[in-house]
């Protein structure tokens, strides 16, 4: 997994390898935790992710450390040189993310379902040069995902990316969120120039299945991966079962294959 290719989009500016990898913990927990994880993956990963605002389906879970985490992430960038990615769910999150020079902002699945929320974020980001990723909505609704992209495009945002993180279902399945790969294929067809990134962590909900889904995504010519990574995954404050260790991440990246890239 080490062949450099030229992407004709913002990935070119990042000088990203193919596939482009974003990794880091589900949530920022402490200053020491983000630094430890970042130092363990720097050099192998383009962008460091860590959620500081965590919209949870039900109350009572860990909802993120909040704005204080921005200072910790600045330190991550200072010490490792990695680019930073966080989730934004409100205009105020966007304002703070821009103030702290966060490089990549992503809109989470629970926000993409709400057109007013996406519009508020798009307005706050108007004409930004930052990279903005939009995850699919939690439900398998292609139009809602397309609508979110259009709202961001209409706000003059040029560096867009799509993140496929699977879809909720009431059925019992092998995965936390079913991939419904056809929806990802269809959105790529609609927006062929927007990079498509797979999040196998939230699809599987299980660290032992992350690699198989990541490989399926690469076989479908996805441009990148977002993989939750934690130095002590079992003790993580959110999404413990799906986070891999930095060692596991590097093993997975070493085994992933880019097949039939020209087809
Ligand atoms: C996350 O990335 O940690 C997250 C909450 O993801 P999603 O919006 O895909 O559920
Ligand atoms: Mn998570």
């Amino acid at each position: 997994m080490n062949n450099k290719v030229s992407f004709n989009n913002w990935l070119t500016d990042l000088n990203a390898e193919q596939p482009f990898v974003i990794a880091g913990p589900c949530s920022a927990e402490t200053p020491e935790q983000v630094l430890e994880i970042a130092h363990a993956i720097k050099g192998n990963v383009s962008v460091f992710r860590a959620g500081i605002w965590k919209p949870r389906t039900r109350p009572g879970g860990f909802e993120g450390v909040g704005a204080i985490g921005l200072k910790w992430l600045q330190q991550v960038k200072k010490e490792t040189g990695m680019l930073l990615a966080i989730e934004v769910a409100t205009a105020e999150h966007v304002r703070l993310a821009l103030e702290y020079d966060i490089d990549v902002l992503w809109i989470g699945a629970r926000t993409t379902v709400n057109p007013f929320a996406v519009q508020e974020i798009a307005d706050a980001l108007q004409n930004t040069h930052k990279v903005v990723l939009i995850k699919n909505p939690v439900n398998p609704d292609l139009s809602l995902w397309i609508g979110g992209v259009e709202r961001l495009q209409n706000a003059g945002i040029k560096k867009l990316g799509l993140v496929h993180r699977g879809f909720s279902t009431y059925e019992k399945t092998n995965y936390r969120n079913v991939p419904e790969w056809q929806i990802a294929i269809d959105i790529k067809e609609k927006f062929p120039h927007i990079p498509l990134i797979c999040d196998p962590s939230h699809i599987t909900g299980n660290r032992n299945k992350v690699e198989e889904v990541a490989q399926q995504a690469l076989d479908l010519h996805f441009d990148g991966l977002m993989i939750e990574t934690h130095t002590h995954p079992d003790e993580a404050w959110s999404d413990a079962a799906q986070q891999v260790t930095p060692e596991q991440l590097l093993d997975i990246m070493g085994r992933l294959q880019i097949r039939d890239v020209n087809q």
Side-chain angles (χ1 to χ4, degrees), residues 25-27 49 54 135 176 202 228 238-239 242-243:
C26 177
S27 298
R49 65 149 283 157
K54 306 291 302 176
K135 288 192 166 200
R176 177 178 177 188
H202 289 89
E228 286 189 340
S238 58
D239 288 351
Q242 71 197 32
Q243 304 202 56

Side-chain angles (χ1 to χ4, degrees), residues 161-172:
L162 300 157
V163 182
H164 171 233
R165 49 76 80 200
F167 302 89
S168 282
T169 171
Y170 202 54
E171 308 296 316
K172 270 237 168 310

Side-chain angles (χ1 to χ4, degrees), residues 107 111-112 114-123 134 148 151-152:
I107 298 175
T111 302
T112 308
N114 182 340
F116 280 158
V118 175
Q119 190 60 51
E120 178 187 310
I121 291 167
D123 292 344
I134 181 159
R151 287 176 196 279
L152 297 171

Side-chain angles (χ1 to χ4, degrees), residues 1 23 59 65 97 106 172 182 199 204 209 227 241 251:
M1 214 185 85
V65 294
W106 85 80
K172 270 237 168 310
Q182 191 59 44
D199 173 348
T204 62
K209 294 179 178 169
I227 300 182
D251 285 351

